[in-house]
Amino acid sequence: MSGKGPFYITTAISYVNGSPHLGHAYEAILTDVMARFKRLDGYDVMFLTGTDEHGEKVAKTALENGMEPKEFADKNAAEFMAMTKTLGISNDDFIRTSEERHHKASQALWQKLQEAGDIYLGKYEGWYSVREEAYFTQDELTEGETEDGKSEKLSPNGTEVQWVEEESYFFKLSEYTDKLLKYYEAHPEFIQPESRRNEIISFVGQEGGLRDLSISRHKDRLSWGIPVPGDDNHVMYVWLDALTNYMTGVGYPDVAAEDFKKFWPANYHVIGKDITRFHAVYWPAFLMSAGIEIPETIFAHGFINVKGEKMSKSLGNVLSPDGLVETYGLDQIRYFLMREISHGQDGSFSHEQAVTRINADLANGIGNLAQRTLSMIYKNCDGKIPEPDEFNDDDKELLNNARHILGKYSDPNKSTIGLGIRGDSEKMEFHKILELLWNVGVSNCDGYADWQAPWSLKKTDFKRMETVLYVLAESIRGIAILVRPFMDISANKVLNQLGVPEDQRLFKHIEEEKYALKPGTKIDKPEGVFPRIVEEDDKQKAAG
């Protein structure tokens, strides 16, 4: 077992009414980076992702495609499973809500809510969005046009709603208004980022508080779902079913199971901002009712637009994970998405942005730094890591930046102190981590190399050249380990070229000096790790 204890993180589970796209890829990569970061930092990690397969939306789309819901769900779930492989996602489990283990978990949670006296049978009348599987009040609706140009009442997220009247089981959500507000106050870290927290507090604290929540659908309207325990005429509301997946993945309803005792409550649920209400209001209320601990943090990320426009089939701008990896490379697209999109905010994607960022930071940045350093070592030091002389102040400063950047650090102009990479990771501020690594790591190495000029020292002070090259190689080792959560394949290629043993590539191997590069270690002829993306215009210019 790892030394720092357990860490449990999940993505939201993806609806199977369509194929994976850029938004799904972003959430999977974002969560994967956190999982990998924690593993490298010594935690025993459980990482869950999966698919949400029940509900009216899936049944309706299946019918439109001439398929049974289960057949349709099987087909699309396979695409999401394939996406995890395409994107190098390191999930430990993949949950499908159509699995028997999940049926048992969902029905067990229902029974807990029922035993608590929080479920009753009544009648529902209200505005319902099939696309969002959610009800909305009149004052939440707007008048507008759907994607096909029809004038309709729309939900806050712009989806069409319809008036529904039916018998339904209800959860006494109204009794949890004050309990939830007190919980938010006592646990400010529960909803991140702060903008999402403020929205939820405003929603829960609105005049009149929360209303009871419909948690079933009559089988006359919907049969594709988990049966309500003790009533064959109803299936469970898809969100009560779906949210339970996070516990299914660690063994619920067996609360004595090893994984449940070890990993629950979850440390992070990583979700899109459009489903914050379900996770930050309904989910903790269900868990309070059932007497189960509440997860530590709900992190709601923003959306990604394509050239400033929302992704839409009608606009033809829906980007697939397969296409992104094929065009830019796996590690390159992972880096771009984590570097370009700020903490919890909406982001934008364009081909021009991607090419510029990848070429500048990877091909011309870390890639060029590693290539020229290792090439000099290979050519001038008999293909071995050189033996350094005594380090001067410039050497020590560069080495210290690489070794201490996980904790407190000085920025390049020495004017401020930051909390370091660990501090930024707790807020999932991965764009800051990468910015820091390039500013304090790569840029400082480039500046050091230009100032020390080992190519000149080769002629005037060979021993000093060896020291400079050693300092650069050791700094690159630290940077390569630190970027493993983002670009594991490429980082390991650099570490292989440096001769770093595979069992010495964790964060602790940066901070402890005994794991520094061993002089005399033989290296192979270096090869470029990050090829530059060459556009057609560039190719034409190069051809004269």
Side-chain angles (χ1 to χ4, degrees), residues 415-450:
S415 62
T416 61
I417 298 294
L419 293 177
I421 289 175
R422 285 194 182 97
D424 291 335
S425 75
E426 291 303 315
K427 296 181 179 179
M428 299 196 78
E429 293 183 327
F430 294 127
H431 65 293
K432 284 188 177 180
I433 289 176
L434 291 173
E435 183 179 9
L436 176 63
L437 284 174
W438 260 249
N439 287 346
V440 176
V442 177
S443 293
N444 276 5
C445 284
D446 282 336
Y448 172 87
D450 291 343

Side-chain angles (χ1 to χ4, degrees), residues 50 56 64 85-86 107 121 135 199 203 225 232 344 355 378 383 418 426 458 461 469 481 487 493 502 515:
E56 189 172 352
E64 291 169 355
K85 306 300 181 187
T86 299
Q107 290 175 327
L121 185 63
Y135 288 106
E199 289 172 4
F203 171 72
D232 291 337
V355 170
Y378 185 79
E426 291 303 315
K458 174 184 175 181
D461 189 342
L469 291 176
I481 291 175
M487 304 180 290
K493 286 181 180 178
E502 290 188 8
Y515 295 109

Side-chain angles (χ1 to χ4, degrees), residues 344-500:
Q345 304 300 309
D346 289 346
S348 181
F349 180 92
S350 75
H351 176 68
E352 293 76 17
Q353 280 177 287
V355 170
T356 299
R357 175 65 72 182
I358 290 167
N359 282 342
D361 289 6
L362 301 184
N364 300 336
I366 182 66
N368 181 58
L369 172 65
Q371 176 77 359
R372 64 175 179 163
T373 300
L374 288 167
S375 293
M376 281 204 71
I377 291 174
Y378 185 79
K379 291 176 182 177
N380 300 294
C381 305
D382 297 324
K384 299 176 183 177
I385 298 296
E387 178 78 48
D389 204 349
E390 185 174 348
F391 297 131
N392 65 25
D393 288 343
D394 290 336
D395 304 334
K396 291 175 183 177
E397 181 179 0
L398 196 66
L399 290 171
N400 283 337
N401 275 336
R403 287 174 183 162
H404 301 303
I405 202 170
L406 277 159
K408 290 186 176 180
Y409 66 89
S410 299
D411 76 1
N413 61 24
K414 314 296 190 309
S415 62
T416 61
I417 298 294
L419 293 177
I421 289 175
R422 285 194 182 97
D424 291 335
S425 75
E426 291 303 315
K427 296 181 179 179
M428 299 196 78
E429 293 183 327
F430 294 127
H431 65 293
K432 284 188 177 180
I433 289 176
L434 291 173
E435 183 179 9
L436 176 63
L437 284 174
W438 260 249
N439 287 346
V440 176
V442 177
S443 293
N444 276 5
C445 284
D446 282 336
Y448 172 87
D450 291 343
W451 176 253
Q452 299 295 331
W455 46 88
S456 298
L457 290 171
K458 174 184 175 181
K459 302 173 184 177
T460 60
D461 189 342
F462 195 83
K463 191 60 187 174
R464 179 61 191 161
M465 178 205 74
E466 290 186 314
T467 302
V468 169
L469 291 176
Y470 178 88
V471 170
L472 284 169
E474 172 61 8
S475 297
I476 292 167
R477 180 187 75 92
I479 294 168
I481 291 175
L482 290 169
V483 300
R484 283 191 64 198
F486 305 90
M487 304 180 290
D488 192 51
I489 296 172
S490 300
N492 279 315
K493 286 181 180 178
V494 173
L495 293 168
N496 289 342
Q497 293 186 29
L498 286 166
V500 177

Side-chain angles (χ1 to χ4, degrees), residues 126-163 277 310:
W127 294 102
Y128 180 69
S129 166
V130 173
R131 188 168 176 180
E132 296 183 61
E133 303 277 10
Y135 288 106
F136 296 94
T137 60
Q138 179 68 44
D139 58 4
E140 291 181 283
L141 304 180
T142 58
E143 296 288 342
E145 289 188 355
T146 58
E147 286 187 4
D148 57 7
K150 293 192 299 183
S151 178
E152 298 285 355
K153 290 186 181 297
L154 303 178
S155 77
N157 292 313
T159 63
E160 181 182 350
V161 297
Q162 60 190 37
W163 184 259
R277 184 183 303 181
K310 183 178 179 181

Side-chain angles (χ1 to χ4, degrees), residues 100-228:
E100 181 61 27
R101 60 170 172 161
H102 182 67
H103 282 227
K104 291 179 180 178
S106 299
Q107 290 175 327
L109 180 61
W110 178 287
Q111 289 171 326
K112 283 288 186 183
L113 306 184
Q114 203 164 41
E115 289 168 9
D118 281 337
I119 293 179
Y120 66 90
L121 185 63
K123 183 178 180 181
Y124 185 83
E125 295 181 353
W127 294 102
Y128 180 69
S129 166
V130 173
R131 188 168 176 180
E132 296 183 61
E133 303 277 10
Y135 288 106
F136 296 94
T137 60
Q138 179 68 44
D139 58 4
E140 291 181 283
L141 304 180
T142 58
E143 296 288 342
E145 289 188 355
T146 58
E147 286 187 4
D148 57 7
K150 293 192 299 183
S151 178
E152 298 285 355
K153 290 186 181 297
L154 303 178
S155 77
N157 292 313
T159 63
E160 181 182 350
V161 297
Q162 60 190 37
W163 184 259
V164 173
E165 298 181 16
E166 65 180 9
E167 182 183 72
S168 174
Y169 282 94
F170 286 82
F171 174 73
K172 295 179 181 178
L173 187 64
S174 58
E175 297 189 2
Y176 287 85
T177 300
D178 291 339
K179 294 175 185 178
L180 287 168
L181 290 172
K182 288 178 182 177
Y183 189 83
Y184 302 150
E185 183 178 1
H187 300 85
E189 76 291 344
F190 176 58
I191 307 170
Q192 293 185 24
E194 189 175 356
S195 58
R196 302 281 91 84
R197 180 174 182 269
N198 293 338
E199 289 172 4
I200 291 298
I201 290 175
S202 177
F203 171 72
V204 176
Q206 65 185 301
E207 186 176 353
L210 296 169
R211 299 187 308 156
D212 289 350
L213 178 68
S214 170
I215 56 169
S216 76
R217 301 292 178 265
H218 199 280
K219 283 192 175 179
D220 287 346
R221 187 158 73 86
L222 177 67
S223 60
W224 177 236
I226 298 176
V228 166

Side-chain angles (χ1 to χ4, degrees), residues 9-302:
I9 188 167
T10 76
T11 65
I13 49 175
S14 302
Y15 279 125
V16 293
N17 63 314
S19 298
H21 55 64
L22 173 59
H24 298 112
Y26 173 68
E27 180 171 299
I29 294 168
L30 178 65
T31 313
D32 181 63
V33 168
M34 184 62 139
R36 288 178 180 272
F37 188 99
K38 288 295 184 178
R39 289 192 192 101
L40 290 169
D41 208 17
Y43 289 83
D44 186 7
V45 173
M46 172 67 182
F47 172 17
L48 179 71
T49 189
T51 46
D52 185 2
E53 302 182 14
H54 294 130
E56 189 172 352
K57 177 164 54 177
V58 173
K60 181 180 178 182
T61 310
L63 181 63
E64 291 169 355
N65 283 269
M67 302 171 74
E68 291 297 317
K70 182 63 166 66
E71 178 189 10
F72 182 73
D74 288 345
K75 171 184 172 293
N76 283 355
E79 292 188 29
F80 282 94
M81 289 180 178
M83 182 191 74
T84 65
K85 306 300 181 187
T86 299
L87 298 175
I89 306 303
S90 63
N91 54 295
D92 299 287
D93 196 0
F94 189 102
I95 182 74
R96 295 184 58 190
T97 58
S98 57
E99 295 177 50
E100 181 61 27
R101 60 170 172 161
H102 182 67
H103 282 227
K104 291 179 180 178
S106 299
Q107 290 175 327
L109 180 61
W110 178 287
Q111 289 171 326
K112 283 288 186 183
L113 306 184
Q114 203 164 41
E115 289 168 9
D118 281 337
I119 293 179
Y120 66 90
L121 185 63
K123 183 178 180 181
Y124 185 83
E125 295 181 353
W127 294 102
Y128 180 69
S129 166
V130 173
R131 188 168 176 180
E132 296 183 61
E133 303 277 10
Y135 288 106
F136 296 94
T137 60
Q138 179 68 44
D139 58 4
E140 291 181 283
L141 304 180
T142 58
E143 296 288 342
E145 289 188 355
T146 58
E147 286 187 4
D148 57 7
K150 293 192 299 183
S151 178
E152 298 285 355
K153 290 186 181 297
L154 303 178
S155 77
N157 292 313
T159 63
E160 181 182 350
V161 297
Q162 60 190 37
W163 184 259
V164 173
E165 298 181 16
E166 65 180 9
E167 182 183 72
S168 174
Y169 282 94
F170 286 82
F171 174 73
K172 295 179 181 178
L173 187 64
S174 58
E175 297 189 2
Y176 287 85
T177 300
D178 291 339
K179 294 175 185 178
L180 287 168
L181 290 172
K182 288 178 182 177
Y183 189 83
Y184 302 150
E185 183 178 1
H187 300 85
E189 76 291 344
F190 176 58
I191 307 170
Q192 293 185 24
E194 189 175 356
S195 58
R196 302 281 91 84
R197 180 174 182 269
N198 293 338
E199 289 172 4
I200 291 298
I201 290 175
S202 177
F203 171 72
V204 176
Q206 65 185 301
E207 186 176 353
L210 296 169
R211 299 187 308 156
D212 289 350
L213 178 68
S214 170
I215 56 169
S216 76
R217 301 292 178 265
H218 199 280
K219 283 192 175 179
D220 287 346
R221 187 158 73 86
L222 177 67
S223 60
W224 177 236
I226 298 176
V228 166
D231 189 338
D232 291 337
N233 291 321
H234 288 259
V235 295
M236 293 172 60
Y237 172 45
V238 67
W239 273 105
L240 177 55
D241 153 10
L243 290 162
T244 310
N245 93 88
Y246 304 126
M247 295 196 299
T248 306
V250 288
Y252 188 80
D254 183 4
V255 295
E258 180 181 349
D259 279 352
F260 192 85
K261 289 194 296 183
K262 180 194 294 185
F263 292 112
W264 195 262
N267 298 86
Y268 284 81
H269 291 325
V270 181
I271 63 168
K273 66 179 184 179
D274 56 328
I275 55 174
T276 311
R277 184 183 303 181
F278 305 102
H279 286 78
V281 181
Y282 303 164
W283 185 223
F286 294 156
L287 294 173
M288 287 177 181
S289 175
I292 299 171
E293 286 186 86
I294 296 170
E296 290 181 11
T297 298
I298 308 295
F299 180 84
H301 62 77

